[in-house]
Amino acid sequence: MTRVSRNFGDTVQKEALPAVSADVIFASSRFPNYKIGANNQIANAKGDPKVLSMKEVVARETTLLLDQQNRLSVRDLANKFEKGLAAAAKLSEEARLREAASLEKHVLLKKLRDALESLKGRVAGRNKDDVMEAIAMVEALAVQLTQREGELIQEKTEVKKLATFLKQASEDAKKLVDNERAFARAEIENARAAVQRVEEALQERDQMSRASGKQDLEELMKEVQEARRIKMLHQPSKVMDMEHELCALRIQLAEKSKHSLLLLKELARSKRVGGNLSDLYELDGAEVLGSYLRIKPCSDIAPELSKCSIQWYRISSEGGKKELISGASKSVYAPEPFDVGRILQVEIVYDGELIILTTTGAIDPAPGLGNYVEALVRKHDVEFTVVVTQMNGADHPSESIHALHVGKMRMKLCKGNAILSKEYYSSSMQLCGVRGGGNAAAQALFWQAKKEFSVVLAFESERERNAAIMLARRFAFDCNIMLAGPVDRASLGT
């Protein structure tokens, strides 16, 4: 038979009630700041040095609260108390059955004793002694049964107390759990409301910041535009003023130079003796890099230039040796960078008579060309837009756009993605201005990349043509190569 321990109630009370009360205790009216440690014990969270945003704090607290609600499951607690009540009811039923069986045993023992008593008067001798011994055994069984009934009564009392205690504990626990569950739901609702308020506040702040940022940007753009307008109206750029003034000075200087040149030519003609052949022609044009000089007849009796032999020379300003300019045998010649600082002279031969014309002074450099070339030298490769007018001495029928690349180590002529020529600087390469060719000579140059390939290239302006020549010669000089025309290299070597 099962025996109920007297410490069962105390064990249930120690294992169930204190654990339940410890788990369902919450913090005060604010969001709790706790964590669950070992054995489901609540421990205070240590201060986190990391500062979290309001949104992260609310999300973390909501997660912890939902986890706590899952740990305080009412079903688990109810199942525990229901198991305890079922065990108590089972024990009570077993005690009742044992009591009924004990009562039946008493009745049987009494009937057995009465039967033995009636039998004792009927027998004698040895059988009587056996009957007496049986009666004594029945009385001993009755005593044992009485003691057992006392123990059963005590066990029944304990089971009743345990059942009553479990019933009361179950009711108290259910009330406590209901209260704490209501409190937890209220906390969760408050947390959700707080999260919603925080999200609404964040959304409102984002909308306000975007609207204010857009408005500030528009206002700033308006202020910048207004400031630019005021600056353009009332504070013109000094650089623009200087450029306008410089342009005006250049125009005035060119006009005065031209006027001075005309006066010098008139003076030279007035000093000549009448009937001199030198009075038949004169040099017309600005004596500056970027322009061109033309032999101009100044008398009706001057022979046609097509019937004359023409050759151009350059002479140093100190009166040095006269250098022949190879290929310069036309009535028009465009000075190139080698001619800067030198006097140009042209000899005209007609019917055995020699006519010599010279410039009034040395060829002047083009204004601003030196600074422009110095700016281009800093680049690794400079591209110029050109048109090929002649190739290998023959006129080029197509006038399509090409690209001339002047690099630090080589020169390259391209048409789109196709490369017509790409050669490194060498002693066989030649580069100079076109010597003849009419009014466009100032914008064209001659380039012989190698002995089998030569072209005449026309540039967009005189400045681009002269810059390309100076830049290529600068890079070639850095490679110990003297880049010049057909005969200029020999003259420079001497």
Side-chain angles (χ1 to χ4, degrees), residues 249-265 285-288 360 362 364:
L249 289 174
R250 286 176 180 173
I251 294 173
Q252 293 179 6
L253 182 60
E255 292 178 354
K256 291 186 183 233
S257 177
K258 188 175 181 180
H259 184 64
S260 173
L261 187 59
L262 291 175
L263 292 177
L264 289 175
K265 290 179 180 180
E287 299 175 359
V288 62
T360 57
D364 295 327

Side-chain angles (χ1 to χ4, degrees), residues 304-420:
E304 294 183 4
L305 293 175
S306 59
K307 299 178 181 180
C308 301
S309 175
I310 301 173
Q311 180 61 54
W312 292 81
Y313 298 88
R314 63 170 67 97
I315 304 172
S316 62
S317 57
E318 292 81 6
K321 182 180 177 181
K322 181 172 64 174
E323 300 174 6
L324 182 140
I325 304 175
S326 177
S329 58
K330 304 293 183 181
S331 61
V332 177
Y333 176 75
E336 64 160 282
F338 269 160
D339 299 325
V340 175
R342 301 185 182 186
I343 298 173
L344 295 181
Q345 177 179 300
V346 58
E347 293 182 356
I348 305 170
V349 178
Y350 174 74
D351 196 16
E353 298 290 336
L354 177 63
I355 303 173
I356 299 176
L357 301 176
T358 59
T359 56
T360 57
I363 300 299
D364 295 327
L369 180 61
N371 295 333
Y372 179 57
V373 173
E374 290 298 328
L376 296 179
V377 168
R378 301 187 183 96
K379 299 181 180 180
H380 182 75
D381 183 89
V382 183
E383 179 180 347
F384 298 94
T385 302
V386 297
V387 175
V388 178
T389 60
Q390 289 185 7
M391 183 176 292
N392 295 327
D395 292 339
H396 198 264
S398 176
E399 295 184 356
S400 58
I401 303 299
H402 292 66
L404 177 66
H405 294 265
V406 180
K408 291 185 178 295
M409 301 294 295
R410 65 188 179 185
M411 294 180 65
K412 180 174 63 174
L413 181 63
C414 304
K415 180 182 180 182
N417 295 328
I419 299 176
L420 302 181

Side-chain angles (χ1 to χ4, degrees), residues 85-119:
L85 289 175
K90 185 176 181 181
L91 291 176
S92 179
E93 183 66 20
E94 290 179 357
R96 186 181 65 78
L97 293 176
R98 285 196 299 270
E99 184 178 358
S102 177
L103 181 60
E104 291 177 357
K105 290 177 182 179
H106 276 287
V107 174
L108 291 175
L109 289 175
K110 186 177 181 181
K111 289 180 180 182
L112 181 59
R113 189 176 182 282
D114 292 342
L116 290 174
E117 286 291 339
S118 63
L119 184 62

